[in-house]
Structures are given as C-alpha cells and as structure tokens.
Amino acid sequence: MNSLKIVKNDPWLEPYNNIISNRIKFAYNKEKELTGNNSLSDFATGYLYFGLHREDNLWVFREWAPNAVKIYLIGNFNNWEEKDEFRFQEKDNGIWELKLPLEKIHHKVLYKLSIYWKDGKGERIPAWSKRVIQDEKTLIFSSQLWQAVESYNWKNDSLRKAPETPLIYEAHIGMATEEEKVGSFDEFRLNVLPRIKKAGYNVIQLMAIQEHPYYGSFGYHVSNFFAVSSRFGTPCELKKLIDEAHGMGIMIIMDLVHSHSVKNEIEGLAKYDGTPYQFFHDGNRREHVAWDSLCFDYSKNEVLHFLLSNIKFWLEEYHFDGFRFDGVTSMLYLDHGLSRDFSSYNDYFDGQQDEDAITYFILANKLIHEVNPEAISIAEEMSGYPGLATPIKDGGLGFDYRLAMGIPDFWIKLIKELPDEKWNIKHIYHELTNKRAEEKTISYAESHDQALVGDKTIIFRLIDKEMYYSMDIDSQNLLIDRGIALHKIIRLITLATSGGGYLNFMGNEFGHPEWIDFPREGNNWSYKYARRQWRLADDNTLRYNHLLKFDEAMIKLVKDEKIFNDISQSVWENENDQILIFKRGGLLFVFNFNPVQSFSDYGIPVNSGKFKIVLSSDSKIFGGFDRIDEKITYYTIPEKGFNSQHYLKLYIPARTAIVLKRIQITKVKY
C-alpha cells in the first residue's frame, strides 16, 4: 500500500499507514452507504423532513421513534390532552407522521409529544424542534411553533468570506451584558458587536447557542440540538446579529456540542422512545464517566443523519460560518482520553479509538466544506491526534484548525510554579511553536475554563486582590506593574508565534477582574459574576483601558502586516538575559522577560538596514513607563567592515516587548 501524504511528512506514522488508510476508506464507504449516488449535502437534510413543517395547506409532523407504539401531539391548543385528531400514524422504519389542517395550530403555540412504548409513556420535546422555551413560573420547557423562523431577509451574504487568519473573539451572549441578568441577542448586536469590530477581531465564536436546560452548564449539556437558546431571544434576532456581523466583515462560528447530550428525559433525547439506546450507546458506554451526560452511538446511520443534518441546519438556516467542535478528544477514544497520557504514537492506533466517531468527523468536515467552502471547522482536542487538522485526502480528519490547548495550560503552570527570574525563554518559545508541520493551529493565552470558578485568569493570577484597590492609573503598586507588563507580553508572544490563528475570550483582552460564576444554588442564583464589566475598559483613568488599547494595537499590527503568511524564525535567544527575539512576516519581535534587568545597546544580529518601532508594550498609552524612544530610526551597525555581520543596537527595558519593522531604503538617482 502506498504511503499517505501525512505518513510521508511524518515517518513515525509509517507503522500505522494501513490503519489510517482503512479509516479513510471506511468513511468513504459509509458515505456511499448513506448517500447512494447523492451528495452528503443532499443526505443531511433531515431538518426539512422531520419535525413540524408547513407543506402546502397542511401542517406535517414527523418523528423517528422506533420503539414507540403510540404518539400524540399535545399542547395549549388542545388543553394538553391526547385526542385522536392529534394522533400520529406509524410509517416505515420507525417513522411516525401527523397531518393537520392549518387552522389547528398557529404561531407561538406550545406543544410536546406524548409517546407510548410497551411498558410505559412519557412527555417529550420533539427531537427536531427548532424552538424551545421555558415557563418563567413553572420552569417547564415546551416546544414553541415559530413560523417566523423562515422569514428573515439576509442583506450581507455577499460579504461573507473566510479570513486569511482567524482572529477569534469567543463570546457568550448571556454574560455579555454589564447588568446582572441574562443578556440578549439584540443587546449583543447593539452594544458588543461594535466593540469587537473596533478591537479588530474578524471571527466571533458564540458559545451556548444550542438550547440547554441549565444555564450554568455554559451550554455544554445540550437538550435540543436544532433550537436556538430562547433565553437569549428569538431566531430572527440571532439572524439579525449574524447578518450585521457579516456586514462588518466578521464571520460567526458556533460552539457545536456533538460529543454528548444532557441526561434529561423530557427536555432531551434520553429514553426518547422509551429505550436508553435510541440515540446513545447501551450498557457501560452510554454515560460519560466525567461529564454526567450521554454518549452518542456514531455507528447508527440514524444518529449520523441527525448530527450531520444538525450541521447543515446551522449553516443554512442561520448562516453560521463554521464550528468549533467541542470535546473532540472525548469522542476519539473509548475511554474518552481519560486513562492515557498519549506518550507514544501507539496511543492513537491501539484499537481503543472510537472508529465510528472518527468516521463521523471525516463526514462532518466534508459536509461543512461541501455546503460552504468558505466555512471553517476547529477541533477542541488535547491528545495530539495526528492528522486532526490535515486534509482528508492526505490521511487526516479534515478539520481546518486545531486549538492549541497546551498553550493556556503552559502559561498557567509557568505563572503558578516558577518565579519570573526562572522563566526559560527557550522553553517558552518551544512550547508556543511546537506543532505538527502540516496543521494550522489556533493559539490562545488563556481559555474560558480558566475564568470559571475554581480557577483564575492570567491577570488574576498575576495581580490577585490588588486588582480591587490599585488599578487606577495614579496608584503606585509594583505588583500591578508586574501584572500589566506580563499580561501584555504573554498575549503578544502567543499571538506572534501562532500557527494559523488566535483566540481571546470575551473580556480577557482588557484583564477582566474576578471570575465567571453562573447563577446557581450555591451563590443564591446571583448574576453578579456572570457578566462583563465593559465600563472598566472604557474608563481611561483605569489600567484596564491600557490593556484594551494594547490588545487593539497588537491585533491591528498582525492584520496589517499579514505576519501569518510566514513562519516565525528564531533570531536570538539568551537564556541568562531572558531575551527572546524572532522575526515573522517582515517584523522583528523582541521580548525581555527579565524582571529586573534592562539592557542598553543590546546587539541583535540582522541583515543590514534600518528599522522603526511599530509597537512597544512600554508605551505610556499601554500603561508602560515610556522608556523607549519610538520616534527615532534605528540603523544597523557592522561588527567590523561594512560587509561583516550587522547588529541592531537597542535599549530593551525589563519586562518589555518591542516590535520593529524594516524600512525600505530608497535609492537616490544621480
């Protein structure tokens, strides 16, 4: 068998060439089985067939419930009673169907299914429901008929285009408001979207879009996969938000949870038709041992149809521009990746992988790019699975990017365990640039998980309680000075060394204080910490404003200079001085991690020429000390004769990052 491209690029994969080839072959065979002579896009249209639809002059309702013996449609239109005129008829292959005159139900009516099986019955929210709401008094969830879901007139579709480099602003609609409440799509569109545009980010990643019963789950325990979370607003309001973002040149992707499902039976899919295994595994593989949730059985064609249709639904109905797939590691391995340290390649090919989940990923990524070639897919994966973000034809799973999940862990570990003077700059550079050559990665300094209760953001680890007393610009506080300086250079070096993109969680760009704690019984259902205090960033008497301005400046710089068209190249590393210098995309990045030592006339070996400073973390507008003259032009100096090695001589203050750009020398004509 010929070696795949991924194997040619990485000879360590040679012993597993057959396994990788067979995985690709199995996926193509499964695609043929599912689609026949049609496309995956044609196959993934279950949302147009199942659920409640208006067809000609009738309402037509279809559901898949193979273990059911009787199904009724109940709702506030029939006093929640089981009546013969609302009884479904059984069709082939476990499909049930109900046809109703248009006058029987109307916009905004509430409904559920009453499903009978051999030994019992239960009320269920339809699996393909597109809108689910919760009663504020009883807290009971019901489906709601929403005819307006098909009426939105898209205005900015022609402006949709994948960015060359994704600069992602990860956001949560509910906590994006400063008020102590659940924020809305409209509030986000009016108040936060302009902030993101001004900040320079070109992709927004929305969390918790799929309906979930418990707000505090951060959207990870999904109950209704085709329903927009109604706590944020209506389907039309979400569409308007996405449309306006497109008008600003910003893509919108969503966090997609296909790794597991909530255990709720009425709201979710658990025991939907009375069996525990309709959508999920039976036996000991049914429940996720760490997440208190249920695991999909990707070997079932009906489950693949459900999940692939879900992908196309969000792309087509809401014009999302792609997905960040949650929990990919959990899906790849039979033990969810919990009992192995991934210390050898054998961990990826030892027979303990969920081959059906691997097939699903290949089909999902192929479908995404078939529906919208401009869409992007990102994998949240921590095991280092080879080929994750490699094209399918080359032996990969077809994701466009992988999240560099090790980087946030690295920064927190470094800050927690070592004092500044022991930070090894070679180790820092290695960790930030360590990636598979054939893959694009999204780097980020900190994740939303590190902002949740029980952990700390980078700024809070650096400054802690001093944030409450000394963040005004007139305060003199060495701990604040240290935290502000490190926050800036950590984020800049993470961005500058990225392997293909960058991500920031909402508020972290300006060092949002405290933590995220969603309302729960333990905090008396308070929203105090489930919000973003934007006024802190806007107040130019506070140092949060300095961090915000620096973030805007560094994002603008990498966009304008298109540095990601080039790989970072190390120029100089001095472990004793803690000086790290590298060039990328025509820029020279200079980092001094030394906490106490500033250096005068520091010689950097470069080609002859002249340079100007285009960004300095020590600038006063960014909360620095203005120790660097940013107006002068820096000329290289030869070591001996003019043709010898040239050096750029710089003053590099402690805990400072400087970015320089080579100036073209204009030749004078005589």
Side-chain angles (χ1 to χ4, degrees):
M1 180 179 291
N2 294 329
S3 293
L4 294 160
K5 186 174 181 179
I6 188 177
V7 176
K8 293 177 181 177
N9 290 339
D10 184 355
W12 288 97
L13 287 171
E14 185 62 48
Y16 311 104
N17 185 73
N18 287 352
I19 296 176
I20 298 171
S21 296
N22 288 336
R23 286 175 176 172
I24 304 300
K25 185 184 300 182
F26 185 85
Y28 278 117
N29 289 338
K30 174 59 72 173
E31 178 184 356
K32 188 174 181 180
E33 176 189 339
L34 295 174
T35 65
N37 295 321
N38 297 315
S39 67
L40 268 176
S41 182
D42 291 332
F43 169 76
T45 54
Y47 62 94
L48 299 176
Y49 179 80
F50 290 107
L52 180 58
H53 303 278
R54 179 172 174 169
E55 296 182 6
D56 297 325
N57 294 317
L58 290 172
W59 291 109
V60 180
F61 205 144
R62 300 185 187 92
E63 284 293 315
W64 175 62
N67 190 55
V69 296
K70 190 166 48 174
I71 301 178
Y72 291 94
L73 179 67
I74 59 175
N76 57 3
F77 53 88
N78 64 7
N79 202 31
W80 300 97
E81 295 177 356
E82 299 172 357
K83 295 183 178 181
D84 285 344
E85 63 178 316
F86 297 101
R87 180 172 174 174
F88 284 69
Q89 301 299 312
E90 186 175 9
K91 301 296 182 180
D92 296 332
N93 303 314
I95 296 173
W96 295 76
E97 183 180 79
L98 172 65
K99 294 183 178 180
L100 292 172
L102 293 180
E103 65 270 14
K104 290 295 182 179
I105 54 177
H106 54 81
H107 181 50
K108 289 190 176 182
V109 300
L110 304 180
Y111 64 92
K112 292 180 186 175
L113 301 180
S114 179
I115 300 181
Y116 285 76
W117 49 87
K118 184 177 180 181
D119 300 316
K121 61 170 288 191
E123 290 186 0
R124 298 289 185 264
I125 288 180
W128 299 78
S129 180
K130 296 183 178 68
R131 181 163 170 82
V132 176
I133 65 172
Q134 185 178 27
D135 187 278
E136 293 182 0
K137 295 181 179 178
T138 66
L139 303 182
I140 294 174
F141 286 89
S142 302
S143 286
Q144 184 181 51
L145 174 57
W146 196 263
Q147 288 178 267
V149 74
E150 297 174 353
S151 64
Y152 187 81
N153 179 31
W154 296 92
K155 301 177 181 65
N156 297 308
D157 267 5
S158 62
L159 301 177
R160 297 172 69 187
K161 186 177 181 181
E164 190 172 350
T165 300
L167 300 168
I168 304 171
Y169 196 88
E170 183 182 23
H172 183 282
I173 296 293
M175 60 175 287
T177 174
E178 189 146 349
E179 299 178 61
E180 295 184 24
K181 64 170 191 174
V182 177
S184 70
F185 291 127
D186 278 349
E187 289 169 323
F188 189 94
R189 175 176 56 83
L190 295 171
N191 302 325
V192 183
L193 195 55
R195 289 181 176 273
I196 299 172
K197 172 65 175 176
K198 182 175 181 291
Y201 292 87
N202 54 28
V203 178
I204 298 173
Q205 177 181 303
L206 292 181
M207 309 295 293
I209 291 298
Q210 296 169 293
E211 190 60 86
H212 46 290
Y214 178 44
Y215 184 51
S217 76
F218 209 63
Y220 288 139
H221 278 191
V222 174
S223 52
N224 313 106
F225 287 80
F226 291 85
V228 174
S229 181
S230 62
R231 55 174 62 85
F232 305 139
T234 68
C236 290
E237 288 165 350
L238 173 58
K239 290 182 178 183
K240 191 172 184 180
L241 162 60
I242 294 172
D243 199 13
E244 288 199 15
H246 289 158
M248 296 178 177
I250 299 173
M251 293 181 75
I252 303 279
I253 64 174
M254 66 176 280
D255 187 65
L256 187 71
V257 183
H258 281 181
S259 46
H260 59 135
S261 178
V262 72
K263 293 169 71 173
N264 298 34
E265 293 184 6
I266 295 177
E267 296 90 358
L269 300 174
K271 295 186 178 178
Y272 187 73
D273 68 352
T275 65
Y277 49 80
Q278 182 186 357
F279 290 94
F280 310 105
H281 287 286
D282 199 8
N284 60 6
R285 289 191 63 191
R286 183 172 187 262
E287 295 193 21
H288 197 293
V289 295
W291 292 349
D292 192 34
S293 56
L294 304 179
C295 301
F296 284 108
D297 184 349
Y298 306 101
S299 71
K300 291 186 175 180
N301 289 351
E302 294 86 356
V303 172
L304 291 176
H305 187 229
F306 182 81
L307 296 177
L308 293 174
S309 295
N310 191 234
I311 286 174
K312 185 176 179 181
F313 170 77
W314 293 110
L315 293 173
E316 292 278 273
E317 187 65 41
Y318 287 93
H319 292 210
F320 275 100
D321 300 292
F323 306 95
R324 176 262 208 182
F325 281 72
D326 171 69
V328 170
T329 304
S330 175
M331 298 168 67
L332 286 174
Y333 304 96
L334 299 179
D335 65 353
H336 308 299
L338 298 173
S339 62
R340 54 184 63 205
D341 58 9
F342 301 103
S343 58
S344 76
Y345 274 45
N346 195 54
D347 286 327
Y348 309 117
F349 306 103
D350 62 0
Q352 294 304 303
Q353 294 71 42
D354 188 337
E355 300 295 339
D356 297 307
I358 290 172
T359 293
Y360 162 72
F361 284 132
I362 294 172
L363 297 179
N365 281 305
K366 187 172 183 182
L367 170 67
I368 289 169
H369 299 105
E370 191 175 297
V371 174
N372 180 8
E374 296 287 321
I376 60 174
S377 64
I378 304 170
E380 185 217 29
E381 208 281 315
M382 50 72 62
S383 78
Y385 181 90
L388 185 77
T390 300
I392 298 167
K393 62 181 177 61
D394 296 336
L397 301 191
F399 286 98
D400 296 304
Y401 301 89
R402 102 166 40 237
L403 282 178
M405 297 184 68
I407 292 178
D409 294 339
F410 165 73
W411 282 123
I412 290 297
K413 181 179 175 66
L414 190 67
I415 294 169
K416 284 172 62 176
E417 297 182 1
L418 288 176
D420 304 8
E421 61 269 20
K422 292 189 177 180
W423 287 13
N424 185 295
I425 50 92
K426 280 192 174 183
H427 182 51
I428 290 173
Y429 187 74
H430 171 76
E431 289 292 335
L432 295 180
T433 58
N434 184 24
K435 62 178 285 292
R436 297 188 66 85
E438 74 276 6
E439 293 187 336
K440 291 182 179 180
T441 58
I442 304 290
S443 294
Y444 53 124
E446 53 191 328
S447 72
H448 60 249
D449 291 331
Q450 287 160 292
L452 295 170
V453 166
D455 210 334
K456 294 181 180 180
T457 59
I458 284 178
I459 196 70
F460 214 52
R461 284 203 179 276
L462 292 171
I463 299 177
D464 212 80
K465 65 180 184 298
E466 295 298 319
M467 294 191 76
Y468 300 119
Y469 313 112
S470 305
M471 284 295 281
D472 58 288
I473 60 175
D474 295 326
S475 292
Q476 300 293 316
N477 188 302
L478 293 177
L479 196 61
I480 295 288
D481 291 341
R482 169 185 179 264
I484 294 292
L486 287 177
H487 192 271
K488 288 181 290 187
I489 63 177
I490 285 172
R491 301 178 82 76
L492 177 59
I493 195 171
T494 302
L495 170 61
T497 55
S498 170
Y502 178 74
L503 178 142
N504 165 73
F505 179 68
M506 177 177 67
N508 285 353
E509 72 275 14
F510 64 86
H512 195 284
E514 299 174 327
W515 50 85
I516 300 170
D517 189 13
F518 283 93
R520 54 188 173 86
E521 188 174 5
N523 65 15
N524 200 27
W525 303 102
S526 170
Y527 288 88
K528 182 177 181 180
Y529 299 109
R531 61 194 180 104
R532 297 284 89 173
Q533 300 179 62
W534 303 109
R535 59 183 173 82
L536 299 176
D538 296 337
D539 189 340
N540 58 16
T541 68
L542 298 176
R543 299 197 184 200
Y544 301 104
N545 183 256
H546 291 153
L547 295 179
L548 177 64
K549 287 178 178 176
F550 182 77
D551 197 80
E552 291 175 353
M554 74 174 193
I555 293 293
K556 183 178 187 304
L557 179 65
V558 300
K559 284 175 68 176
D560 290 349
E561 298 298 329
K562 302 183 183 299
I563 70 166
F564 294 97
N565 293 338
D566 189 16
I567 61 171
S568 60
Q569 301 174 44
S570 177
V571 174
W572 185 264
E573 296 169 335
N574 190 311
E575 293 181 74
N576 292 329
D577 294 342
Q578 292 183 286
I579 294 287
L580 172 64
I581 302 166
F582 59 88
K583 58 183 178 180
R584 188 172 192 185
L587 298 180
L588 189 68
F589 292 86
V590 180
F591 293 88
N592 182 3
F593 282 93
N594 199 304
V596 294
Q597 182 82 42
S598 298
F599 300 94
S600 298
D601 291 329
Y602 204 90
I604 304 168
V606 293
N607 293 330
S608 63
K610 60 179 182 177
F611 294 79
K612 66 176 181 179
I613 293 176
V614 290
L615 183 66
S616 167
S617 68
D618 195 52
S619 175
K620 190 174 183 179
I621 64 171
F622 305 139
F625 296 100
D626 255 349
R627 293 167 289 184
I628 303 170
D629 189 345
E630 299 179 39
K631 296 179 181 178
I632 67 173
T633 299
Y634 293 83
Y635 291 84
T636 60
I637 301 173
E639 184 177 26
K640 295 177 182 177
F642 186 77
N643 293 324
S644 64
Q645 175 65 60
H646 276 238
Y647 286 85
L648 187 64
K649 298 294 185 73
L650 295 177
Y651 171 56
I652 315 175
R655 289 199 186 109
T656 296
I658 308 168
V659 186
L660 300 103
K661 181 179 180 180
R662 183 183 294 273
I663 303 172
Q664 290 295 113
I665 299 176
T666 304
K667 293 184 178 180
V668 179
K669 293 183 178 180
Y670 293 96

